[in-house]
Amino acid sequence: GVFSSGNAPFFGSLPGMGVHVSDIVGIAPTPDGHGYWLVGSDGGIFGFGTAGSRFYGSMGGKHLNAPIVSMAPTVDGGGYWLIASDGGIFYFGDAKFYGSMAGQSLNAPVIGAAAVNGTG
């Protein structure tokens, strides 16, 4: 579930939908602050608030070499990147592909990512 405190708005979550807590690995806010995406380890995307009308694609249902561990939205909210623990990058909407580490030998699995200056 998603919980809010203070003045953080609550736009919804996934209780009762058969999604296990361990399946959700990330949350990313929309740039307007009126929604968020939840991402599953299988690359499935769930949108709430304004993110509900901003679905650009997912890896849900596709074979992945490694689980998704993070998500980062573009600065305008017109797309997002999904990041796998092996360094694989999947991009949707207006997110651009800048490369990935998939197939490379990593000392440790990737555990997260963030967009920098809105460019990725």
Side-chain angles (χ1 to χ4, degrees):
V2 174
F3 304 91
S4 62
S5 62
N7 65 354
F10 175 77
F11 298 107
S13 65
L14 299 168
M17 292 187 64
V19 177
H20 301 286
V21 172
S22 62
D23 293 339
I24 301 298
V25 296
I27 185 170
T30 57
D32 65 9
H34 297 287
Y36 40 79
W37 293 278
L38 298 179
V39 62
S41 60
D42 69 349
I45 303 291
F46 306 92
F48 300 92
T50 55
S53 63
R54 296 180 181 190
F55 176 75
Y56 303 107
S58 74
M59 294 306 292
K62 296 188 170 76
H63 173 74
L64 298 173
N65 293 328
I68 299 297
V69 295
S70 186
M71 157 181 220
T74 60
V75 71
D76 67 355
Y80 40 75
W81 295 271
L82 301 181
I83 299 87
S85 64
D86 68 352
I89 307 288
F90 305 95
Y91 56 103
F92 301 92
D94 66 3
K96 295 188 178 17
F97 181 70
Y98 297 104
S100 76
M101 293 302 296
Q104 303 296 313
S105 178
L106 303 176
N107 290 333
V110 174
I111 58 170
V116 179
N117 296 328
T119 60

